Amino acid sequence: MLENGYYWRNRELRKHVAVIDGKVAPTIVLKNSTYLNIFTKQWLTANIWISDDRIVYVGDKMPEKQLTTEIIDCKNYYLVPGYIEPHAHPFQLYNPEELANHAAAFGTTTLINDNLMWHFLANKKKAFSLLAEFNKLPVSMYWWARFDSQTALQDEEAFFNSEEVLDWLSHHSVIQGGELTAWPSLLAGDDRLLYWMQEAKSKGKPVEGHLPGASERTLTKMKLLGVSADHEAMTGAEAIERLQLGFQVGLRHSSIRPDLPKLLDEMLAANITSFENVTMTTDGATPAFYERGMMNICLEIAIEKGVPLEEAYRMVTYNVANHYNLAEELGSIAPGRIAHINILQQKDDPHPVSVLAKGQWIKRKNNGKTLTTHIDWENYQIGPLNLDWDLQMSDLQFSVPIGLDMVNDVIIKPYAIETDVTLDVIPEQFADAFLLLIDRDGNWRVNTTLRGFTNRLGGLVSSYSTTGDIVCIGKNKYDIQLAWKRLKELGGGIVLAHQGEILFELPLTLGGIMFDGKMEQLIEKEKQLKATLKEFGYRFDDPVYSVLFLSATHLPYIRITQQGIIDVKKREVLFPAIMR
């Protein structure tokens, strides 16, 4: 006996055929459309029929029944498939729904998302219920199955075990394994990790690597072990090497690695003419980076750099869909595909004037965005943090001899602390600041110093971190306590204090990680945060990522984690966490 879902899908398919037979009217017809045929790489003229969320016909004919049909004359416009972001991290201050809504208004109608934060914010049952809610959005939302936490948890097994990982891999909304930040463990002989990768591949789901700076030898080993793709090339030569070894290559253009112009320049200079195994990604950029959109910005760069127009559009549509075995659903304007369509003013202008997603108007020319929020976060117990403990002066005791020295936004080296950190205030002539990572439940803490983040700021306290634990940075213990008190009142967020005053606050009332509001508001808040930190000595470009990656053990050289201060290369705990 067929499942109910199959009955529903059968009825839907029969209805599509009935539209062609003239028995049912389509919901929308885009007539006189000049559209990009992804398969022949030609711009063709057709009438495009849409029935609910699907394209059912692309050709010369008009439907016999059209009394209830919305007919749009697309003469003098150009139609391309909705863009796909193949590698999204949808928790970078924003929440996944608001990121999707914002991106869709600029033509990115499909996101393939990291699931990492669901491990920390919700149990598996609630997370899977949330995935079902996301499937009701007009934007198509797909997910990864992470194999590791990219940090050192006190109990990694509780989050990443075979039952958990395999259940995620079996979910129909999960379409890849990875990204594989734990690849050193794989090379060191971790057969459980290899088993998870094999399970992903057996289900037709590719495995995404995370291989910055990898040698040809390492890349070859990773290919042999089953890694399908990588987005970590930092030069054109690295991208080409990955292509030659058979990887699907994602060219990155993110807030901490805006590499796309350089990558394309170097690839084109090397006479690369085939881009069939190339995609582009913004790799979880921070909010202000998305002010003008998402994949439309990558497309703009590719077109300006001289990538052939049809190849550029395929890089953010069909190439992605094909890699993820979704080409029958996404990535083209053809019968049976989800009705994600961008309407452009000019062929070479990738910024759409109108956007359809699942057959719904996301944006109409001159009418702006039409999307509203749908997810009821409270229903999933994702709301303000209830911090039922207090940060005491006794928590702000610093005595370890090794601190963390910022080389750039995210690379950190160890240094020998020479400043007197027993004081309540570190004088401004010293570059050090106090650094505290403390359990969100108040059970443990790790104390050290951080050099290079600020030379003056009294205190920053953030519940936004790799695991949702509390990060405290600053020169003044009293300002750190003041910022903590305000963060506790807000129920999570990022708070800056200086000389007894609150300078800035960003409420993150969805689990202490995500903003519950419009992307436009968040963008302005992030700009204000960055400007304020620059005034107080922040020397780099992306303070949000600097805070996030303090605990990220997939980056060199030293990190502050739930286990303590860790030497990443040696995988050794130099100074363990202290129980409170």
Side-chain angles (χ1 to χ4, degrees), residues 260 264 280 297-307 312 315:
L260 186 60
L264 289 172
M280 296 184 282
I297 303 300
C298 294
L299 261 174
E300 180 182 69
I301 293 168
I303 293 167
E304 287 177 353
K305 290 297 180 183
V307 175
M315 287 164 71

Side-chain angles (χ1 to χ4, degrees), residues 200-233:
K201 299 297 281 289
S202 72
K203 298 177 188 297
K205 300 178 181 185
V207 174
E208 175 75 15
H210 179 94
L211 308 170
S215 66
E216 179 190 47
R217 182 183 179 90
T218 295
L219 290 170
T220 299
K221 288 180 181 180
M222 300 310 291
K223 205 75 188 76
L224 291 170
L225 292 169
V227 175
S228 314
D230 187 65
H231 59 284
E232 291 289 336

Side-chain angles (χ1 to χ4, degrees), residues 282-320:
T282 59
D283 195 13
T286 42
F289 196 78
Y290 292 132
E291 188 166 18
R292 294 178 52 239
M294 186 177 276
M295 302 315 296
N296 56 310
I297 303 300
C298 294
L299 261 174
E300 180 182 69
I301 293 168
I303 293 167
E304 287 177 353
K305 290 297 180 183
V307 175
L309 197 59
E310 295 75 22
E311 295 284 355
Y313 282 112
R314 281 174 60 103
M315 287 164 71
V316 298
T317 57
Y318 183 78
N319 291 5
V320 184

Side-chain angles (χ1 to χ4, degrees), residues 338-350:
I338 297 172
H340 292 319
I341 298 175
N342 290 333
I343 300 176
L344 312 177
Q345 198 83 52
Q346 300 292 337
K347 287 181 186 179
D348 59 356
D349 180 358

Side-chain angles (χ1 to χ4, degrees), residues 408-442:
N408 61 27
D409 301 76
V410 297
I411 304 300
I412 305 171
K413 291 186 174 181
Y415 79 100
I417 300 171
E418 297 179 352
T419 304
D420 184 357
V421 292
T422 64
L423 302 173
D424 290 341
V425 180
I426 297 177
E428 287 185 14
Q429 65 263 35
F430 299 103
D432 316 72
F434 300 117
L435 172 61
L436 169 69
L437 180 69
I438 190 163
D439 176 30
R440 70 155 61 193
D441 295 322

Side-chain angles (χ1 to χ4, degrees), residues 74 84 91 96 130 160 219 223 231 289 347 359 371 474 514:
C74 293
I84 307 172
F91 305 96
L130 266 167
F160 297 94
L219 290 170
K223 205 75 188 76
H231 59 284
F289 196 78
K347 287 181 186 179
L371 279 172
M514 302 178 289

Side-chain angles (χ1 to χ4, degrees), residues 350-379:
H351 309 289
V353 294
S354 298
V355 178
L356 275 169
K358 292 183 182 174
Q360 300 180 42
W361 290 107
I362 302 301
K363 181 170 75 172
R364 295 291 295 270
K365 187 179 180 183
N366 302 323
N367 288 340
K369 293 190 290 185
T370 62
L371 279 172
T372 57
T373 54
H374 168 79
I375 305 295
D376 182 358
W377 296 103
E378 289 186 7
N379 194 41

Side-chain angles (χ1 to χ4, degrees), residues 393 395-399 403-404 415 417 419-427 430-437 446-455 457-461 471-481 550 560:
M393 282 299 283
D395 294 315
L396 298 171
Q397 295 179 357
F398 298 82
S399 60
L404 281 60
Y415 79 100
I417 300 171
T419 304
D420 184 357
V421 292
T422 64
L423 302 173
D424 290 341
V425 180
I426 297 177
F430 299 103
D432 316 72
F434 300 117
L435 172 61
L436 169 69
L437 180 69
V446 184
N447 301 62
T448 184
T449 61
L450 182 65
R451 193 165 70 182
F453 187 87
T454 179
N455 55 24
L457 182 66
L460 174 152
V461 177
V471 174
C472 305
I473 304 169
K475 309 279 283 188
N476 186 313
K477 294 179 181 179
Y478 301 104
D479 284 332
I480 290 172
Q481 277 201 312
L550 285 170
I560 185 170

